[in-house]
Amino acid sequence: MNKLALSILMLVAVRAYSQTPELQVINRAADALGGKERILSVKTLTIYGYGQQAYQNGGGNIAASPDAPQSGST
């Protein structure tokens, strides 16, 4: 086995065992979603909801939509 092949093998082994458990979970989740590159290529994220937690202590409708739920304090 030449030095280059041994060096590559050692680098692969070190990288595989040097990840913390937290990083391993993140990497597995990224792989399940199509890989790190696919996740990083996302340019827009759309979130739907009324922000119910943000206006928990307010009054009336929590958004301008007539379908928005009441805040709960009224």
Side-chain angles (χ1 to χ4, degrees):
M1 191 179 270
N2 62 21
K3 289 183 181 180
L4 179 62
L6 183 59
S7 298
I8 292 172
L9 180 62
M10 288 175 48
L11 287 173
V12 169
V14 167
R15 183 170 181 202
Y17 290 106
S18 66
Q19 292 182 351
T20 63
E22 297 85 2
L23 189 56
Q24 289 176 354
V25 169
I26 291 170
N27 286 334
R28 282 191 217 133
D31 290 340
L33 293 171
K36 178 181 175 182
E37 293 77 23
R38 183 172 180 203
I39 294 170
L40 291 175
S41 70
V42 172
K43 300 293 182 205
T44 304
L45 180 65
T46 304
I47 301 173
Y48 294 98
Y50 291 113
Q52 292 161 318
Q53 299 301 316
Y55 294 99
Q56 181 174 348
N57 296 322
N61 287 352
I62 59 176
S65 170
D67 299 324
Q70 294 289 312
S71 68
S73 65
T74 58

